[in-house]
Amino acid sequence: MSSPITGISSMATRALLADLSAAYTQRTGTAVAIESVGGVDAARRVQAGEAFDVVVLASDALAKLAASGHVVAGSVAALVHSGVAVAVKAGAPRPDLSSEEAVKRTVLAARSIGYSTGPSGTALLQLFERWGVMPQLEGRLVQARAGVPVGTLVASGEVELGFQQRSELIHVQDIALVGDLPESIQIDTVFSAGVCTASAQPDAARALIAFLASPETADAKRRQGMAPA
């Protein structure tokens, strides 16, 4: 029996990687154990030299790990495109997201707005900066703690409006997924996988990544609210 392939990922790909890991094990007999945490924490742990075989993160974070020698050069493969959606509490009025201007009005009307610690949250704040509305939103922006889905803040009533990647919102109970951001302001994050230099079984890690990036995983990626890369 071969050793399990171990990995770490950010929360956005948690459900997808659970599905694909199970499919890979069924196909090959090799166990896969991927831990999902906040993206910043995942990158920090790889940098600290924890002995993971595979890491799955936003492509820019993975590029930094490769540049610092913590991910094997040339091992990185893009897996999915992940877009941002908007959620409100179940039963609440559904705001207008039909255009950039409509989203802007929705944001300015919201009593509180939840966003993530990940790259999509950073990009959302940059959008608000570009709109010039940050002063008006002071005291209304709530950043979810690392590893905590924004949808849970919406479900609990802590925030009225939640922005996060669709893949993270679709599994949260007691919220209504209003829809995706319009194309003109959509925030697209590419998630990629790479072999950790600390891996004791890089060939097995490469084989898993090849499967994760293969065309046959496309349907699973769409079911989890993402698009194949």
Side-chain angles (χ1 to χ4, degrees), residues 5 24 28 54 195 201-214:
I5 300 171
Y24 188 76
T28 65
V54 172
V195 178
Q201 45 183 354
D203 290 343
R206 287 179 187 274
L208 173 62
I209 291 172
F211 171 73
L212 297 177
S214 67

Side-chain angles (χ1 to χ4, degrees), residues 34-169:
I34 298 180
E35 181 182 355
S36 295
V37 298
V40 173
D41 289 338
R44 185 183 301 121
R45 289 171 63 181
V46 173
Q47 286 175 323
E50 285 197 44
F52 296 108
D53 296 310
V54 172
V55 57
V56 179
L57 287 172
S59 56
D60 57 346
L62 209 58
K64 291 176 184 176
L65 290 174
S68 65
H70 294 93
V71 165
V72 177
S75 72
V76 175
L79 302 183
V80 290
H81 292 271
S82 182
V84 168
V86 182
V88 295
K89 192 173 177 62
R94 299 171 73 91
D96 182 5
L97 306 177
S98 60
S99 66
E100 178 174 355
E101 192 58 36
V103 175
K104 183 177 177 180
R105 287 195 301 269
T106 293
V107 166
L108 289 174
R111 293 187 300 274
S112 51
I113 299 154
Y115 67 102
S116 75
T117 57
S120 63
T122 300
L124 185 72
L125 295 184
Q126 291 170 345
L127 174 64
F128 295 164
E129 290 276 10
R130 179 165 66 77
W131 283 346
V133 299
M134 287 296 279
Q136 293 145 275
L137 299 179
E138 187 174 352
R140 290 193 273 162
L141 295 173
V142 179
Q143 186 179 49
R145 297 181 307 280
V148 175
V150 173
T152 61
L153 304 184
V154 176
S156 69
E158 186 174 343
V159 299
E160 181 180 358
L161 197 64
F163 290 81
Q164 196 165 26
Q165 289 167 65
R166 170 178 278 273
S167 63
E168 295 203 58
L169 291 172

Side-chain angles (χ1 to χ4, degrees), residues 2 8 17 74 91 93 109 120 126 179 184 198:
S2 59
I8 191 165
L17 292 173
S120 63
Q126 291 170 345
S184 63

